[in-house]
Amino acid sequence: MGKVLSINQYVRAQSLDEAYTLCQKKNNVVLGGMLWLKMHRRQVGTAIDLCDLGLNKIEETETEYRIGAMVTLRALEQHEGLDKLTQGAMEEAVRHIVGVQFRNCATLGGSLWGRFGFSDVLTLFLALDARVVLHHAGEMALADFAALPRTTRDILTEVIVPKTARRVVYLSQRNISTDFPVLTVALAAQDGAYTCVVGARPMPAVVFTDDKGILAQGITEDSARALAEDIASRAALAGNLRGSADYRREICKVLVRRAAMALGKEG
């Protein structure tokens, strides 16, 4: 039988300082929801549980939502304020992830910290111009966090989503409804500027802007198709068991065009 996940010690941290100190050791890990972690074949020195630190709340101010790292994907899916802010994109981005029981356990922090190449969550939150707060490094743009070395050892405490007049559409292609996505696309518009995020490439999501001003004069069938061709030509794509790079490129064209047309109807 092959090796499985083995944990030598389990600790429920009583402070962020304690959790941060513990996670500095290479063989120690933060559990998050422990849904992807349990699939690893490795030996963990100390498993660090953050469940006693009050990081499972969604707080709203006049300008932003502050989402604790231990908030579950199911809580995001059912949150009326986030649903309204994102015009349904929040629910659409997470509702296909395995099943309700899984989403009741999977956390936002775990989903973002892993920067998985199949992540619906990373794709959407990049399009929302989200920021993250790390216990040691402080607040930074999610895009900057996503670019940090995977050897970074810190505690993600919360995610900040600004309450701006941003319109966003989220789409994904899956071979079956609860499988990992073949490709994900989030297209956002604010003050005449457009941001397109492409994920499940199958690499971590990447952000593109409409540098050529393709949609500057409005969204039509022709401009939507032109944007789709432009993004698909710029995106680095690869193949895996769910689809080849060429297949993903064709899917990218379709999803970006559909997202643009959906934004056009909203506008």
Side-chain angles (χ1 to χ4, degrees):
M1 180 179 294
K3 293 181 180 180
V4 296
L5 179 70
S6 173
I7 296 174
N8 293 332
Q9 184 180 17
Y10 166 81
V11 174
R12 292 175 67 150
Q14 296 305 298
S15 70
L16 285 170
D17 285 339
E18 179 187 6
Y20 176 77
T21 299
L22 286 170
C23 84
Q24 297 314 299
K25 293 184 179 180
K26 185 176 181 180
N27 288 335
N28 295 355
V29 297
V30 175
L31 290 180
M34 202 184 165
L35 292 169
W36 303 125
L37 179 64
K38 70 182 181 181
M39 301 168 69
H40 290 192
R41 296 182 177 183
R42 60 178 293 187
Q43 184 164 339
V44 171
T46 299
I48 308 159
D49 195 334
L50 306 179
C51 66
D52 289 341
L53 302 183
L55 301 178
N56 60 342
K57 302 173 184 177
I58 301 176
E59 299 177 325
E60 180 182 4
T61 71
E62 292 185 0
T63 59
E64 62 195 17
Y65 282 98
R66 302 186 77 95
I67 309 170
M70 294 297 285
V71 168
T72 67
L73 301 188
R74 182 64 170 166
L76 296 178
E77 181 181 6
Q78 296 183 307
H79 195 277
E80 292 183 3
L82 289 171
D83 182 69
K84 182 177 180 181
L85 178 67
T86 64
Q87 307 93 56
M90 184 67 71
E91 179 183 3
E92 179 61 27
V94 301
R95 70 184 181 92
H96 297 289
I97 299 175
V98 186
V100 171
Q101 291 176 322
F102 186 97
R103 298 194 297 277
N104 274 329
C105 298
T107 63
L108 174 60
S111 299
L112 293 179
W113 184 268
R115 288 159 278 183
F116 302 114
F118 53 79
S119 180
D120 297 90
V121 179
L122 179 60
T123 303
L124 176 64
F125 276 79
L126 282 170
L128 296 177
D129 198 24
R131 302 182 66 79
V132 300
V133 179
L134 303 182
H135 179 59
H136 179 70
E139 184 177 327
M140 66 181 70
L142 175 58
D144 293 335
F145 164 75
L148 289 178
R150 291 187 177 273
T151 53
T152 300
R153 308 194 71 79
D154 209 330
I155 304 291
L156 196 162
T157 62
E158 62 183 343
V159 180
I160 303 169
V161 177
K163 293 169 66 175
T164 56
R166 177 183 287 103
R167 294 178 293 123
V168 61
V169 172
Y170 183 87
L171 297 173
S172 65
Q173 168 67 22
R174 283 169 157 82
N175 292 332
I176 58 174
S177 61
T178 58
D179 192 10
F180 291 147
V182 175
L183 197 81
T184 61
V185 165
L187 183 62
Q190 183 178 5
D191 298 330
Y194 293 86
T195 299
C196 184
V197 183
V198 180
R201 303 178 293 130
M203 297 167 278
V206 62
V207 180
F208 299 94
T209 56
D210 182 17
D211 296 334
K212 299 177 182 177
I214 296 172
L215 301 182
Q217 302 305 314
I219 299 176
T220 64
E221 283 280 0
D222 288 341
S223 65
R225 185 172 290 105
L227 178 70
E229 292 283 348
D230 180 60
I231 298 298
S233 69
R234 293 159 60 190
L237 304 170
N240 63 0
L241 59 85
R242 291 177 179 81
S244 67
D246 289 341
Y247 177 67
R248 281 188 164 89
R249 203 166 305 280
E250 293 305 313
I251 293 298
C252 185
K253 295 175 186 178
V254 173
L255 293 185
V256 174
R257 178 180 59 80
R258 288 178 179 176
M261 293 304 296
L263 273 187
K265 290 179 182 178
E266 289 181 6

